[in-house]
Amino acid sequence: KQSLIMKSFFQVLVVFTVASLTSAFAPQAISTRRILSESNTNLCAKQKDYDEKIASNKDFLRKAAITKCEDAEEVLIALEAVEKLMREKRKNEGEKVAQEVLDNLTGEWRLIFTTGTKKTQDRFNTKINYFPLKAIQAFDSTTDPMHIENAIYAGDFSLIKFRGDFEFDLKKAKVEFMFDQIEILGFNINLKKDEAAKIGASTGLGSESNVKNAEKGKKAFFNWISADADIATARGGGGGIALWQKVGAAEE
């Protein structure tokens, strides 16, 4: 009889313990769900915050591309703000952000504003801002390999034009390219790997870093920041940051 009492006691104790543990851990599961929900809410709020700031700065850059009269320092501040915010956006949202940039890149882009490379700044003892010449960069991401052109025009006539292929690194939003042909006043000339870089550096279309990269067998590059239906932004291998307007986009 005593053994039966003890057995019943232990059964009650086990049931009580299980019930206590279940009760103790149930609120924790609810808390975890609440934390996940709060985390998602915070992420959405953060995303909305940088998207709004990107849109605001790009609105100003879009205006600068049309008027070419906005204060150069303000344009530079906006460019660097978009660069920082887009870096955060890519970190949070992944490669789809860079893929959208690549999808928008196909077309012709007129260079509007650039700080120039460090060497160019030193040569003219100033930071170049609104680019005085008609410089057009063209991309075609629908071909294999993808195609790039870089040209200087007098009116509608190209004075010098580089042609080549490019690759796009979705992880870094990085365009790597190599020119293998040059057109001068309508005459085409095939180029060796380092020749285009040397010509580009001497004319201001490229940087000295491109020459060094070519000598090492590396391609020239842009760290692409953004591209939409109207404007594009990027930082070159020489350190300069630039703003382009898509040819055919709204002008004055």
Side-chain angles (χ1 to χ4, degrees):
K1 186 176 180 180
Q2 186 177 6
S3 175
L4 182 61
I5 293 172
M6 290 297 293
K7 184 177 180 180
S8 298
F9 172 76
F10 280 118
Q11 287 176 339
V12 172
L13 182 61
V14 168
V15 170
F16 176 78
T17 302
V18 170
S20 298
L21 287 173
T22 302
S23 175
F25 282 105
Q28 182 63 36
I30 296 171
S31 177
T32 301
R33 287 195 295 272
R34 185 171 64 248
I35 290 171
L36 288 173
S37 176
E38 290 173 355
S39 176
N40 289 335
T41 301
N42 291 337
L43 180 61
C44 289
K46 189 176 183 180
Q47 180 177 339
K48 182 179 178 182
D49 181 56
Y50 60 63
D51 279 344
E52 289 177 349
K53 290 178 180 177
I54 289 170
S56 176
N57 280 287
K58 286 175 70 175
D59 283 343
F60 175 73
L61 293 175
R62 197 171 285 110
K63 181 181 178 182
I66 295 172
T67 68
K68 301 177 183 63
C69 294
E70 307 309 311
D71 182 77
E73 288 298 325
E74 293 296 321
V75 174
L76 179 58
I77 290 170
L79 282 168
E80 291 179 337
V82 172
E83 181 180 35
K84 181 179 179 181
L85 291 163
M86 286 296 292
R87 191 182 300 121
E88 182 181 2
K89 183 177 177 71
R90 289 197 307 273
K91 181 180 178 181
N92 289 331
E93 299 180 35
E95 293 182 3
K96 69 175 184 178
V97 179
Q99 182 64 58
E100 184 177 354
V101 171
L102 177 60
D103 292 342
N104 289 328
L105 205 53
T106 294
E108 294 183 323
W109 300 86
R110 179 166 182 170
L111 181 60
I112 300 296
F113 181 100
T114 177
T115 59
T117 64
K118 179 67 166 62
K119 183 177 180 180
T120 305
Q121 292 174 22
D122 293 342
R123 182 189 301 173
F124 294 100
N125 194 31
T126 185
K127 285 186 177 181
I128 293 178
N129 41 67
Y130 290 99
F131 199 72
L133 304 176
K134 183 179 179 181
I136 304 289
Q137 206 158 40
F139 298 88
D140 189 349
S141 63
T142 66
T143 61
D144 186 16
M146 294 182 285
H147 186 70
I148 181 174
E149 289 185 359
N150 198 4
I152 295 289
Y153 286 81
D156 293 330
F157 182 75
S158 65
L159 301 175
I160 184 170
K161 181 183 291 185
F162 293 92
R163 296 189 182 93
D165 302 327
F166 78 94
E167 298 173 346
F168 195 95
D169 185 335
L170 289 174
K171 290 183 179 180
K172 300 178 181 179
K174 185 177 184 179
V175 168
E176 293 183 301
F177 61 95
M178 182 75 74
F179 293 124
D180 54 18
Q181 191 178 78
I182 185 173
E183 179 186 310
I184 302 176
L185 301 175
F187 295 95
N188 293 315
I189 303 170
N190 292 326
L191 298 170
K192 295 179 181 179
K193 287 186 176 180
D194 60 343
E195 287 180 332
K198 290 177 180 178
I199 296 171
S202 65
T203 59
L205 284 173
S207 67
E208 287 293 335
S209 64
N210 291 344
V211 178
K212 294 177 181 178
N213 285 334
E215 290 173 349
K216 297 176 182 177
K218 297 180 179 180
K219 295 183 178 182
F221 67 90
F222 284 98
N223 289 313
W224 219 263
I225 300 169
S226 68
D228 57 31
D230 302 309
I231 60 171
T233 60
R235 186 176 290 278
I241 193 168
L243 167 68
W244 288 263
Q245 182 184 44
K246 194 159 194 177
V247 175
E251 297 182 354
E252 300 183 275

